[in-house]
């Protein structure tokens, strides 16, 4: 015997919840941006930029994996393609301004993303992961053998150049704020995408694909779009990275990199917005700090141990576990 | 001399045979992977490490205790199998029923751990293992010189593959395993000791890898990283065959050995890319691999 | 002539590796009818549904919708044309709230599903209609509940509401009352009746009391082929139907015990 | 072994059973007793916790507290396969047909836990559909056929206590009727049956007693002979 | 004047990956031996050593080195193995005008198109490897060659160097075959090499590829069928891993061998005491280069990169590693190289008794002449 309930009341509660969520999101974003703005005065800017590049890469990956349910095992291909394209163009054409070089790198990665997507999107689950892996391996072999990448020696001496032909990016602080601006723009974009009408459909597809089909959605096309956005952002991360470090190397194209971005996302918390950022920060830091310290011969086994621990003890990732904790104790 | 695309027939036959031999290796390795994925839905990224452990154990047992090849052929897989069961019992079991991706991450972590520890203990240059005396030399087949050891590899690998296939596809135990994969809880509700079954299966799967490792010890350079290189190729083989298809893994293993061998003859630079190319093409045409069950 | 029929199949055949699941079926569904498809287990009812919505590809035969051949169209296209189905096994988006589930369905009419740059708050304008639909299936109080947490019967109710949100011309319901308690069955019967106003419903249902109350016309399938067709009285009087399907129950309605009417199957 | 003494034998005793799925507390202290050879139903609305009670008996829920005695043996600490070995056969709500096995393999899958189960022939005679489709993949069966298969396979194991969750769901009336006959036959053989049913018309003539479950608790116990007297109470619980 | 009154040396190398054994943690031990020889102090300034794993990644390496140079006042970056890392680091060194000594890399481009005034390439590169082995083998009658090349820049460089040397000496390359990197199984390639009928099968690859190829060659009886196997880059650790059984008779070029004279043996004994293994040429080179660096600091009393480098270039190197070695304008340290042959099981007396030195290749003959250099530092001088 159900209590009579008023739909309007329930609806209002839901709207109020949404408002509260928006406020919370805004607050978190603000704090987060504030921290990033002052960070280079405390920490070494190049290292911070490295973190931002990988964070962007992980955010891009998570859009596909965490929010669409597609596990790409080939995202390294986009990172590398962005990096190599931008690096090559900036090295070869001294007239090119940096932002155009980065744009071009992103564009080529986007096109490659579209190609990957069209070839892989109809495959399900683990097969999808494996087709993307195979495609990215083919891209890897291409880069190994193409002369323009410098093979395993890598591409070096990429000029940072000038932003809009005006602001010198040789200066680490200028470079940092440029990278930060791009990162924030992308992060906000992804936040938007996830909650957009499109994002809702992605969620639906992730949870029950046949049902989404029966509701009249062209599931493949939605997935392709998500894939392409993700590839574009991953390519952008690679482009930025090549400008920051002034080099592009095969490490970025190797399948280990595709694995690493999965790890970053999972460690941070997949399907959460902040998770990949936290995960990237964590993984990059651990690797870097360990390789400097007394345990430097043991980086790999320690990383291995961290992954084991993550999976066993906090599967939802750092952010996911915090959210869970907050929900349980405060909500 | 008969030529085929500019390659003498004799050379080609030799390459085909070599392809089959390598294929037998792939079959053995991908079989273990397919058993573990097919039956436990674990994406075992530690498979390469288990292969490596098999080879390392062979060498270490010999150096430390003088254990000979024949004993190692049983002992090394057994030890690795027990190690695998411990890994399953203490680690993998805790993530049963979670998304595949967690098993991938966990086993990847285990592989890094094992590999890293052994690298620090034994270095990366490799350990020396002498070919058992009875396998020294070979026979001249006319078109090529076939070392006895390679002949042995092909025979024993295919035998083990067939035996495994039979056990899983044709016996009651196999039916338990297949059903347990789909709904372990219900199987347990029927009175089957699923946890034990899972341990044994994982142990068995990695034993197959370790067995391949023992076979590899006399002919390949035995190093802590030997498994990580071969890992994704073996994954590709399993995927082409259809994840979880036991027979598919075996047949595809041999097939890929041959295709790779032919590429090594006609256009060697592409020989490591070719498997991935085949994979893309196969999955275009057959979304669940050559022998995969349709979704 | 065909105009009178909104949905029609001609010599529809589906074979699975030599096994004929649907054998030369000619269905004619009249505009505005509630049409039931009944028959013993394994008769091919779900398969027919799957063929109509192209979740399976017919081996042979034609499917006509409003006189137009739709045999070659894809699932999603057919759904957008107005032929929408619900599933036999409950199909919901488990990690969305009930409200969000409905909104996903309503959203497919908005034409904004590729707008990744727009705010999701735009979808709030769908809430009112969504709440109406939830209310109609008695799920108002669960609007903000994540769907996994709903009991099976409520999931079915939610699924039905989602399907109705599609404003279909033709509604295909596969055992809509399966797994529901008595009170829910009542509600669903009322709901289907309401939903059927101005549209056509084709349903598979084993609960004969529901069939008898709701349906204008009934087709009985057995072993993949049409056994007979007609209204409830005609069909239930047919001895062949009694033999293969209804059994010996005098009324053909389960739940005939006087004080416990219409218990659901 | 007389019929009467059998009746007194407590095949199942549940006391103070609480069960949880992760955070959510589903059962709030279930108490019930089933004697050997009895057929008892659990009635209630959707979501009342009937399926959960059966799962809890099999140790298939997240967490449990309280006590469950099967054949006089405490099973709270037992793994599910031990419980099955005590002679418990469980037919789940969602059938659990294995897609990697064909129909016959599905049927012969559950290990025999006691002697006295039905033979394959007997089962095929009872469900000719299954015989016809015996070599096709389990999940390619129609919904109703899967339901038959799920029920049939535990009849083979010789379990002497059956936990059956909504077994008439999605079955054609003829089959339902046949199932009724089967349950009567099983009861006559001395099997104990706990039946979760929505189809009260099916359950009423078969059951010795009914328990009404609401919000994870037993709120009413009704013997078959009290049925007509307590009809109105029952109706109000079931929301008729 | 020495900044902060400390000399800080950063040792950057692959500590855990493929190049671990030839440099790695033991390279750090060698470096510390040089510091010890100075008593931990030079001109009263403390010598401090920091170290890091480059993880064979130019990214990781460049973050590390940037911080070392920009924040931590590191004066010398030593180690440096993977060529991608060495090139990336040399760019940063130049930007910050600090000094680096590359001891582990093989790429000859490091002092050719990638040369900078801020780094020195110490132990060896592909040029003398090809030069030494190829000319020696051709002279011994190996006229027709089949080259098995690792399909990446390093392999290609070796291949073209070898081809040049073979042809210059009157031999002929009758076939080349590019194998992917890494290749776990070489039987197919060995079979093709065998079928080619060439006198010499040369391995233009490194590490596990080389050891796998040699293993397989021995299994398939390449040498029994009359062909000579020439490995172009083979470290002592590789030969140790292969064992003399499989590797016997292989000719190779090395920059140094532990068992050449009393001086090398004495140092190797010291090294072995610390590490448990015999040193490779890279280990010895790390020791020697650090020693020379510290001597230069001592002599000039400065830690300024250019001052120190200038002094190092002006001073001939004479220690247990090299006799009359010198650092050229392009940063290449040239010294005598040695043609060695792996001993047979009968000849090998102990675990590490692996080579016999056949011939000394004089420095000027071994390395790429400056006249062929593409390094801008050379033409400006
Ligand atoms: N994909 C398939 N492959 C092989 N056989 C199939 C497949 N799908 C259905 N069948 C078979 O086709 C027949 C018809 O199945 P269908 O699901 O249409 O029955 P149904 O009438 O809906 O029955 P129910 O009332 O039990 O749901 C069954 O015998 C079933 O075993
Ligand atoms: N896996 C689960 N996780 C969380 N909650 C669950 C789960 N399964 C069931 N529940 C919840 O437990 C409660 C009882 O469910 P149960 O399935 O036992 O109900 P029931 O009485 O069998 O009803 P039904 O007629 O729907 O089968 C419901 O509220 C349901 O939402
Ligand atoms: Mg059906
Ligand atoms: Mg239930």
């Amino acid at each position: 015997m159900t209590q009579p309930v008023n739909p309007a009341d329930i609806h209002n509660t839901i709207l109020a919840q949404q408002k509260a969520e928006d406020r919370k999101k805004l607050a978190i974003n603000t704090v987060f941006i504030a921290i990033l703005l002052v960070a280079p005065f405390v920490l070494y800017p190049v290292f911070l930029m490295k973190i931002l590049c990988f964070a962007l890469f992980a955010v891009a990956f998570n859009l596909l994996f965490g929010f669409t349910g597609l596990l790409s095992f080939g995202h390294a291909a986009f990172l590398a393609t962005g990096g190599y394209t931008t690096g090559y163009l900036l090295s070869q054409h001294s007239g090119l301004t940096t932002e155009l070089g980065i744009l071009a790198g992103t564009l080529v990665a986007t096109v490659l993303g579209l190609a990957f997507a069209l070839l892989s999107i109809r495959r399900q689950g683990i097969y999808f992961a494996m087709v993307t892996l195979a495609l990215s391996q083919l891209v890897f072999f291409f880069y190994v053998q193409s002369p323009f990448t410098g093979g395993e020696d890598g591409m070096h001496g990429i000029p940072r150049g000038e932003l809009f032909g005006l602001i010198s990016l040789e200066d680490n602080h200028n470079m940092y704020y440029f990278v930060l601006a791009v990162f924030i723009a992308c992060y906000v974009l992804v936040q938007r995408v996830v909650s957009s009408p499109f994002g809702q459909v992605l969620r639906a597809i992730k949870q029950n694909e046949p049902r989404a089909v029966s509701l009249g959605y062209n599931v493949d096309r939605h997935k392709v779009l998500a894939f392409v956005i993700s590839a574009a952002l991953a390519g952008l991360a690679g482009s930025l990275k090549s400008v920051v470090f002034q080099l592009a190397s095969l490490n970025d194209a190797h399948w280990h990199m595709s694995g690493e971005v999965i790890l970053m996302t999972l460690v941070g918390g997949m399907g959460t917005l902040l998770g990949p950022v936290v995960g990237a920060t964590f993984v990059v830091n651990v690797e870097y700090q360990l390789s400097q310290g007394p345990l430097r011969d043991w980086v790999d086994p320690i990383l291995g141990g961290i992954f084991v621990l993550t999976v066993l003890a906090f599967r939802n990732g750092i952010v996911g576990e915090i959210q869970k904790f907050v929900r349980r104790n405060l909500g | 001399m008969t030529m085929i695309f500019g390659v003498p027939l004799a050379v080609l036959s030799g390459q085909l045979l070599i392809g089959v031999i390598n294929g037998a290796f792939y079959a053995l390795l991908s079989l273990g992977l397919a058993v573990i994925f097919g039956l436990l839905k674990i994406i075992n990224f530690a498979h390469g490490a288990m292969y490596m452990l098999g080879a390392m154990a062979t060498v270490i047992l010999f150096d430390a205790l003088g254990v000979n090849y024949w004993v190692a052929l049983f002992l090394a897989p057994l030890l690795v199998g027990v190690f695998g069961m411990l890994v399953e019992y203490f680690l993998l079991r805790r993530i049963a029923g979670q998304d595949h991706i967690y098993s991938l991450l966990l086993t990847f972590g285990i592989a890094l751990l094992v590999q890293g520890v052994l690298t620090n203990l034994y270095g990366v240059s490799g350990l020396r293992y002498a070919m058992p005396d009875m396998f020294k030399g070979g026979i001249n087949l006319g078109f090529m010189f076939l070392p006895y050891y390679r002949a042995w590899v092909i025979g024993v690998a295919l035998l083990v593959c067939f035996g495994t296939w039979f056990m899983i596809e044709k016996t009651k135990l196999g039916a338990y395993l297949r059903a347990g994969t789909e709904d372990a809880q219900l199987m347990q509700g029927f009175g089957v000791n699923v946890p034990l079954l899972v341990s044994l299966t994982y142990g068995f799967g990695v034993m197959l890898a370790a067995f391949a490792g023992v076979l590899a010890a006399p002919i390949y350079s035995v190093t802590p990283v030997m498994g990580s290189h071969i890992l994704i190729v073996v994954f590709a083989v399993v995927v082409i065959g259809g994840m979880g298809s036991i027979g598919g893994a075996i047949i595809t293993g041999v097939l890929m050995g041959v295709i790779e061998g032919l590429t090594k003859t006609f256009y060697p630079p592409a020989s490591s890319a070719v498997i991935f190319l085949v994979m893309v093409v196969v999955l275009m045409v057959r979304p669940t691999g050559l022998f995969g069950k349709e979704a | 002539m065909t105009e009178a029929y909104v949905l029609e199949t001609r010599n529809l055949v589906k074979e699975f590796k030599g096994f004929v699941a649907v054998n030369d079926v000619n269905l004619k569904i009249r505009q505005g009818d509630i049409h039931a498809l009944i028959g013993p287990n394994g008769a091919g009812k779900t398969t027919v549904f799957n063929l109509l919505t192209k979740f399976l590809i017919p081996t042979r035969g034609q499917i006509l919708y409003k006189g137009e051949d739709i045999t070659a169209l894809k699932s999603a296209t057919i759904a957008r044309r107005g032929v929408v189905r619900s599933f036999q096994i409950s199909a919901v988006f488990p990690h969305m709230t009930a409200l969000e589930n409905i909104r996903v369905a309503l959203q497919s009419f908005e034409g904004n599903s590729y707008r990744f740059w727009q705010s999701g708050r735009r979808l709030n304008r769908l809430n009112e209609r969504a709440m109406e639909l939830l209310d109609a299936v008695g799920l108002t109080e669960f609007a903000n509940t994540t769907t996994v947490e709903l009991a099976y019967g409520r999931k079915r109710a939610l699924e039905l509401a989602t399907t109705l949100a599609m404003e279909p011309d033709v509604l295909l319901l596969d055992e809509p009352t399966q797994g529901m308690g008595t009170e829910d069955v009542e509600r669903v019967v009322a709901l289907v009746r309401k939903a059927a106003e101005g549209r056509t419903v084709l349903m598979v249902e084993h609960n004969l009391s529901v069939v008898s109350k709701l349906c204008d016309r009934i087709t009985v399938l057995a072993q993949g082929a049409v056994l007979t067709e007609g209204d409830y009285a005609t069909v239930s009087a047919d001895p062949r139907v009694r033999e293969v399907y209804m059994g010996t129950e005098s009324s053909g309605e389960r739940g005939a015990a006087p004080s416990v009417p219409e218990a659901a199957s | 072994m007389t019929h009467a003494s059998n009746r007194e034998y407590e095949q199942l005793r549940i006391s103070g059973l609480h069960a949880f799925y992760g955070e959510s507390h589903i059962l709030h202290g279930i108490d019930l007793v089933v004697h050997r050879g009895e057929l008892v139903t659990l009635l209630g609305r959707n979501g009342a916790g009937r399926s959960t009670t059966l799962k809890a008996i099999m140790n298939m829920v997240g967490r449990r507290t309280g006590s469950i005695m099967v054949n006089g043996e405490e099973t709270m600490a037992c793994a599910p396969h031990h419980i099955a070995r005590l002679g418990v056969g469980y037919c789940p709500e969602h059938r659990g047909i294995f897609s990697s096995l064909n129909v016959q393999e599905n049927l012969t899958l559950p290990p025999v836990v006691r002697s006295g189960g039905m033979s394959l022939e007997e089962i095929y005679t009872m469900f000719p559909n299954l015989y016809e489709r015996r070599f096709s993949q389990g999940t390619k069966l129609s919904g109703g056929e899967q339901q038959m298969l799920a029920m049939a396979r535990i009849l083979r194991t010789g379990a002497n206590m059956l936990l059956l969750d909504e077994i008439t769901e999605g079955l054609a009336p003829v089959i339902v009727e046949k199932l009724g006959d089967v349950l009567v036959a099983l009861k006559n053989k001395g099997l104990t049956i706990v039946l979760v049913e929505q189809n009260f018309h099916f359950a009423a003539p078969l059951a010795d007693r009914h328990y009404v479950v609401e919000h994870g608790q037993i709120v009413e116990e009704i013997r078959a002979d009290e049925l007509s007297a307590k009809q109105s109470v029952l109706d109000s619980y079931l929301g008729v | 004047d020495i900044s902060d009154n400390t000399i800080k040396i950063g040792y950057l190398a692959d500590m855990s990956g493929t190049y671990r054994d030839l440099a790695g943690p033991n390279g750090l031990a060698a470096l510390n031996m040089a510091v010890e020889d100075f008593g931990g102090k030079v001109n009263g300034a403390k010598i401090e050593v920091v170290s890091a794993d480059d993880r064979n990644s130019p990214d990781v390496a460049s973050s590390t080195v940037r911080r070392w140079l920009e924040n931590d006042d590191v004066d010398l970056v030593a180690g440096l193995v993977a060529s991608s890392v060495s090139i990336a680091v040399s760019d940063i060194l130049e930007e910050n005008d600090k000094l680096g000594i590359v001891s582990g890399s093989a790429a000859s481009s490091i002092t050719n198109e990638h040369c900078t005034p801020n780094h020195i390439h110490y132990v060896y590169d592909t040029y003398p490897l090809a030069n030494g082995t190829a000319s020696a083998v051709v002279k011994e009658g190996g006229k027709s060659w089949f080259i098995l090349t690792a399909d990446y820049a390093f392999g290609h460089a070796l291949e073209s160097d070898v081809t040049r040397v073979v042809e210059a000496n009157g031999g002929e390359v009758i076939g080349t075959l590019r194998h992917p990197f890494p290749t776990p199984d070489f039987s197919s390639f060995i079979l093709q090499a065998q079928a080619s009928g060439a006198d010499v099968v040369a391995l233009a690859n490194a590490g596990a590829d080389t050891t796998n190829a040699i293993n397989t060659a021995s299994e398939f009886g390449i040498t029994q069928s009359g062909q000579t196997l020439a490995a172009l880059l083979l470290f002592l650790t590789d030969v140790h891993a292969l064992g003399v059984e499989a590797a016997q008779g292989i000719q190779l070029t090395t920059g140094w061998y532990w068992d050449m004279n009393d001086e090398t043996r004495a140092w190797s004994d010291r090294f072995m005491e610390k590490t448990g293994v015999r040193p490779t040429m890279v280990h010895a080179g790390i020791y020697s280069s650090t020693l020379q660096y510290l001597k230069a600091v001592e002599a000039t009393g400065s830690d300024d990169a250019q001052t120190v480098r200038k002094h190092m270039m002006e001073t001939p190197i004479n220690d247990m590693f090299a006799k009359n070695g010198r650092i050229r304008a392009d940063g290449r340290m040239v010294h005598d190289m040695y043609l060695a042959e792996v001993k047979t099981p009968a000849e090998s007396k102990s675990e590490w008794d692996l080579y016999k030195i056949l011939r000394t290749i004089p420095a000027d003959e071994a390395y790429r002449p400056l006249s062929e250099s593409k390094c801008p530092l050379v033409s400006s001088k």
Side-chain angles (χ1 to χ4, degrees), chain D residues 107-199:
Chain D
L107 206 48
T108 53
L109 185 72
V112 171
V113 292
R114 274 167 186 259
S115 57
M118 288 169 79
S119 71
L120 212 51
E121 293 87 79
E122 286 175 281
I123 286 174
Y124 280 145
T125 324
M126 186 179 300
F127 303 105
N129 283 41
L130 297 184
Y131 180 74
E132 209 174 296
R133 313 282 297 131
R134 67 190 178 284
F135 296 125
S136 58
Q137 191 188 331
T139 45
K140 293 275 166 78
L141 291 183
S142 81
E145 288 166 341
Q146 291 188 29
Q147 187 64 63
M148 297 176 205
L149 180 55
M151 169 75 194
R153 70 181 165 192
I154 56 165
L155 298 180
R156 239 195 82 257
T157 64
N160 62 356
M161 176 164 79
L162 305 182
L163 310 179
L164 307 177
D165 200 347
E166 314 263 9
I167 51 167
T168 62
E169 178 98 49
L171 291 185
V174 258
I175 307 284
V176 173
E177 223 170 90
K178 200 147 75 181
L179 264 185
D181 300 341
V182 172
L183 290 191
V184 171
L186 293 174
K187 216 178 102 172
N188 291 340
K189 272 172 77 177
L191 268 73
T192 313
I193 298 169
V194 182
L195 190 64
V196 168
E197 245 330 310
Q198 296 277 16
N199 187 347

Side-chain angles (χ1 to χ4, degrees), chain C residues 14-17 19-22 37-50 56 88 174-175 178 204-206 221 223-224 245, chain D residues 95 103 129 132-133 136-148 169-172:
Chain C
K14 178 68 192 177
E15 293 173 4
F16 295 110
K17 299 201 182 111
F19 176 81
V20 186
V22 172
L37 203 53
I38 65 170
N41 298 112
K45 304 179 294 291
T46 303
T47 308
V48 167
F49 264 51
N50 284 333
L56 286 173
Q88 187 167 7
D174 198 354
E175 304 197 32
Q178 190 184 43
V204 172
E205 182 59 70
H206 284 300
L221 280 185
Q223 301 193 335
Y245 183 64
Chain D
R95 300 172 186 139
V103 171
N129 283 41
E132 209 174 296
R133 313 282 297 131
S136 58
Q137 191 188 331
T139 45
K140 293 275 166 78
L141 291 183
S142 81
E145 288 166 341
Q146 291 188 29
Q147 187 64 63
M148 297 176 205
E169 178 98 49
L171 291 185

Side-chain angles (χ1 to χ4, degrees), chain A residues 44 145 153 241 287 296 300, chain E residues 51 55 59 70 83 151:
Chain A
Y44 185 56
Q145 293 182 357
D153 283 350
K241 190 165 152 292
E287 196 174 347
R296 57 177 160 42
D300 278 334
Chain E
S51 62
R55 307 191 55 67
D59 285 3
E70 292 170 16
S83 54
D151 198 9

Side-chain angles (χ1 to χ4, degrees), chain C residues 226-237:
Chain C
V226 176
L227 186 68
T228 179
E229 203 177 302
D231 62 13
Y232 187 77
T234 327
V235 166
S236 60

Side-chain angles (χ1 to χ4, degrees), chain D residues 6-92:
Chain D
N6 250 352
R7 286 264 163 206
E8 296 315 309
Y9 185 88
E10 273 179 16
Q11 183 89 27
L12 175 70
R13 169 177 283 277
I14 300 178
S15 31
L17 177 66
H18 289 253
F20 306 80
Y21 287 115
E23 302 291 292
S24 37
H25 190 168
I26 308 294
L27 299 186
H28 300 263
I30 297 271
D31 297 287
L32 59 82
V33 178
V34 185
H35 297 282
R36 176 162 293 175
E38 252 191 326
L39 194 156
V40 165
T41 68
L42 301 184
L43 304 173
R45 294 163 191 260
N46 287 126
R50 298 162 302 149
S51 301
T52 306
T53 307
L54 296 193
K55 282 203 225 163
I57 297 172
M58 295 307 297
N59 191 2
M60 289 180 174
V61 293
R63 192 159 67 80
R64 313 172 295 168
T65 61
S67 153
I68 300 172
M69 316 273 281
V70 176
N71 279 333
E73 199 174 310
E74 178 60 60
T75 63
M76 287 305 282
C78 284
H81 62 275
H82 288 300
I83 297 172
R85 297 266 165 82
L86 296 173
V88 184
Y90 171 60
C91 178

